[in-house]
Amino acid sequence: MKTLRTGFHLMLVCLSLLGTTHITFAKETQHDKPTNATGKVASPLVVIPEALQYCTVCHGTQFKGDFATGAPNLTGLPDWYLTKQLTAFKNKSRGAHANDLSGHEMRAAAESLDDATILLAVDTITRIPYIDSMPTTHWQRLAFKAAQDDVKHTNKESQTLTPSINNGKKLYATCAACHGNQAEGNPALKAPPLTGLNRWYMAKQLLHFKQGIRGNQSNDPASMQMKAAASILKSNQDIVDVVTYINALNQQELP
Amino acid sequence: MQHISLFMKITSGVLVYFKNISMKKLTRRQFLLKAATAGGSLAVYNASLALDIFDSHVKTENLQLKPGDGKTQIVILGGGIAGLATAYELEKAGYTCTILEASHRIGGRNMTLRHGDLIDELGRPNICQFEDQPNLYFNAGPARIPGHHQRTLHYCRALNIPLQVKANHNRLAYYQEQSSFNGKPKRQVEYIADARGFLAELVFKAINKNVFEEELSQEDQEKLLHFASYYGDLAKDGRYKGSQRAGAVSDRMLSHGNANTPEKLDAFLKSNFWQDALNHSEFYDWIEPLLEPKGGMDQIVKGFAKSLKSRVITKAQVQDIEVLEHGVNITYQHKEALHQLKADYCFNNIPAPLLVGINNNFSTDYMNAIAAIKRKDLFKIGFQMRERFWEKEGIYGGISYTSQKNAQIWYPSHDINAKKGIILGAYVWNPDDCEYFANLGLKERLSLATECGENIHKNYAQYIESGVSIPWSRMNHMMGCGNAFDEEDYPRYFHKAQGPEGHHFMIGDQISYHPGWQEGAFASAEAALLKFNALIKAKS
Ligand SMILES: Cc1cc2nc3c(=O)[nH]c(=O)nc-3n(C[C@H](O)[C@H](O)[C@H](O)COP(=O)(O)OP(=O)(O)OC[C@H]3O[C@@H](n4cnc5c(N)ncnc54)[C@H](O)[C@@H]3O)c2cc1C
């Protein structure tokens, strides 16, 4: 988080240098934290090119994510990963599985993007400083209910599991090999950073990898590798634990 | 921001106090009087808010807002019909409004498609290819109004929108089920006659077996026997042998028409006819006769647009909502530039699931309540037909039902006998089927609905000249329709979502117990305006 914030101030400077249209006003973007004079974060809005405006309908202001539409936070993701995923959606190697409902929506949107627009999208998103999405206490329900719906179309509510951060830490040791100790990611291994990702989104994707909804395309070895790695997560409990651990890394609540 | 939390603290303190005194069972009047002495008129307002005791009996048509001073600025986010009605009422009372609408058009889900219109679907924007004729239009969203939706009908009256009767239930239209009666379409009237006949026959038998001995006197049993005979058109022996109510196998004018032979009861029971075709017109919102504006449902939108003097900015996508102590600060993007607009009051018509992604400084409770509203879906297809072949089959308006993916076919009630017509070729409710259609390409969707239609009308495909498909979960700036709380969430969140928060009011059918109906949207506006009125009175 700290690094992101610093990056963000740097960004401010860059934006002014580039003369990008933006306005600045004091604003707290985090909902769960009560407003106080010190907690305010200046958040300049980056103008979204008209060709990308419809992306923000689902992904929210400045691509910060929206759990109610099922669109994840894209701020803070590196350009190479964004490009790879957009291209995957466009080429139907992601979002094509019959049970990937929100993936279908993204695929429909990505299919209409030409290469120049993908470039523009990646450029725009990476110019936006990291922003927190609206957090949700229902993240487990969102992840597992949605994933269950995807698979069985049932409405069964899954119960809320109590996370064990220790178990999460143990499980994460395997993940760290590629994603790094601080979940900072490793472009050489095509492992994206995980800090700042929404919990509901991480949990849902882990379930998708486990179920083979993601990572089933032979032309995407990194993704297949992730599918194999996800098999270490034996249960929803494991998923909740590891996601909670990664999220705690992001909040710098751990030493 | 600091002020806001301070304001909230003070008001919540007052609220706790009033919640406590309200326990002592004061009358409403006593209670408000106490509130007034303790904290002034604003306290009364806040107490009324907390306890939800607003004048909910005021009808939209009698809405009397405190006249505006010409200075109070109102911003309305989203130009759906809830936003438009809000602007209409506020303008009438002398307030200045600005409507910010993200789409290229106002009206939101109230959308009628004609020649050349843009269908702004995510990833697949396309243009409606209907011929340019006044009768060739398709209500892609709302299409019918029952006689008891008095708010909707009030606005039609107030805006001089001529209405006509819309046939919804048509017994001559078909019911077709792939797994029943060899997939052959049958006129609904045949099913209905059989359904009544079978039930009546069972009642008749039960009476003769003295099943009702304890409940009914001999005389009443006698009456029930007559009722059953008439209800089911039974023969003298109490058997159902078919009924001329369903027409006849031969011409009924020049010879004695013989009734159709009824289906076998077990075969009949296998069919799901009773689930939709039989019972749809029993639902209160679908009771006959229904109404529609002449020339398309969007006459309501056009009526508002004609009457409004407010500034309407389309392609203005709201990006940030900041609730201030005495107003709001809105940031929106328009033409590749960001703009700020400060206003004294804000009415927010933006679909809740999209609002979750929009920057704001709402309190956690308020935002959580709004975020509990879930995305829902519907899917429609409209076909331009070169000939009104259905009219030659005796079908004038109404709906055919099918177990196939397209689910329904609607025939226009307007412009009967015109050369061409637009019919609805699919109206899909089942979420899986909505998803299925949405996932197909534009052409494939039409082909699938065409194949389904072929099983109902002979040569259906040959009549089709062009078509449109509208997956509401993928329509830009809407991404869903009929969004609603889960049943169990209503008691928890509804009142909270109604708000307001400071000077910010949520509106839209999503803030009603009746999402998916324009009446719900108008009711939400009415409720918000009543609270606004109380607030502005308290502040003056
Ligand atoms: C298929 C279908 C069938 C229906 N059938 C009927 C019927 O027969 N009878 C009936 O009475 N009702 C029917 N309805 C329901 C009716 O259409 C709705 O109740 C009504 O139109 C809702 O209006 P609204 O103002 O609440 O919301 P909406 O129409 O959803 O308005 C929301 C507005 O907000 C705008 N917006 C979104 N994001 C932003 C942003 N960031 N900034 C600014 N603006 C934004 C949108 O573009 C839109 O204009 C039907 C609806 C559908 C879809």
Side-chain angles (χ1 to χ4, degrees), chain B residues 352-368:
Chain B
L354 305 187
L355 198 52
V356 170
I358 293 176
N359 277 359
N360 63 67
N361 67 340
F362 299 159
S363 68
T364 309
D365 281 356
Y366 187 48
M367 194 61 229
N368 281 343

Side-chain angles (χ1 to χ4, degrees), chain B residues 80-82 101-102 108-109 141-144 318 349 427 477 508-509 516-518:
Chain B
I81 52 160
E101 167 55 59
R109 276 169 280 156
R144 47 193 170 182
V318 173
N349 195 191
Y427 191 4
H477 303 299
D509 66 349
W517 288 95
Q518 298 178 95

Side-chain angles (χ1 to χ4, degrees), chain A residues 124-139:
Chain A
T124 307
I125 298 167
T126 48
R127 278 197 292 119
I128 297 170
Y130 176 77
I131 311 173
D132 274 345
S133 307
M134 175 185 170
T136 164
T137 47
H138 304 311
W139 66 274

Side-chain angles (χ1 to χ4, degrees), chain A residues 21-29 31-33 35-37 40 43 45-51 53-62 64-70 98 100-101 104-109 111-112 131 134-135 137-138 141 153 157, chain B residues 1-2 5 121-125 315-322 329 331 333-340 352-364 367-368 371 373-375 432 435 439 473-479 486 488-489 492-493:
Chain A
T21 329
H22 70 268
I23 47 169
T24 314
F25 50 81
K27 179 103 183 37
E28 168 67 70
T29 53
H31 285 280
D32 51 348
K33 297 191 181 135
T35 311
N36 58 49
K40 282 182 187 171
S43 67
L45 293 187
V46 171
V47 173
I48 308 299
E50 212 155 278
Q53 225 174 340
Y54 66 90
C55 312
T56 62
V57 171
C58 293
H59 283 279
T61 305
Q62 308 279 287
K64 68 167 184 169
D66 178 344
F67 63 77
T69 58
D100 187 1
L101 302 193
H104 296 165
E105 293 181 339
M106 184 57 214
R107 181 166 51 88
E111 271 170 13
S112 66
I131 311 173
M134 175 185 170
T137 47
H138 304 311
R141 198 172 80 186
H153 301 282
E157 291 268 317
Chain B
M1 294 284 276
Q2 260 171 316
S5 47
E121 181 186 334
L122 180 77
R124 292 172 188 154
K315 297 191 178 181
Q317 192 189 20
V318 173
Q319 306 278 336
D320 189 299
I321 303 163
E322 188 182 15
N329 189 9
T331 307
Q333 188 175 326
H334 178 61
K335 293 195 177 149
E336 304 231 350
L338 289 159
H339 304 264
Q340 273 198 41
L354 305 187
L355 198 52
V356 170
I358 293 176
N359 277 359
N360 63 67
N361 67 340
F362 299 159
S363 68
T364 309
M367 194 61 229
N368 281 343
I373 297 170
K374 308 260 161 60
R375 270 174 87 190
D432 291 347
E435 171 69 17
N439 252 333
S473 63
R474 297 207 183 163
M475 296 302 286
N476 203 2
H477 303 299
M478 246 114 16
M479 300 305 290
D486 289 343
E488 66 272 18
D489 279 345
R492 214 152 100 214
Y493 293 125

Side-chain angles (χ1 to χ4, degrees), chain B residues 203-213 221:
Chain B
V203 172
F204 201 98
K205 277 185 189 150
I207 297 169
N208 285 338
K209 286 192 176 163
N210 293 326
V211 169
F212 301 119
E213 223 170 22
Q221 288 190 47

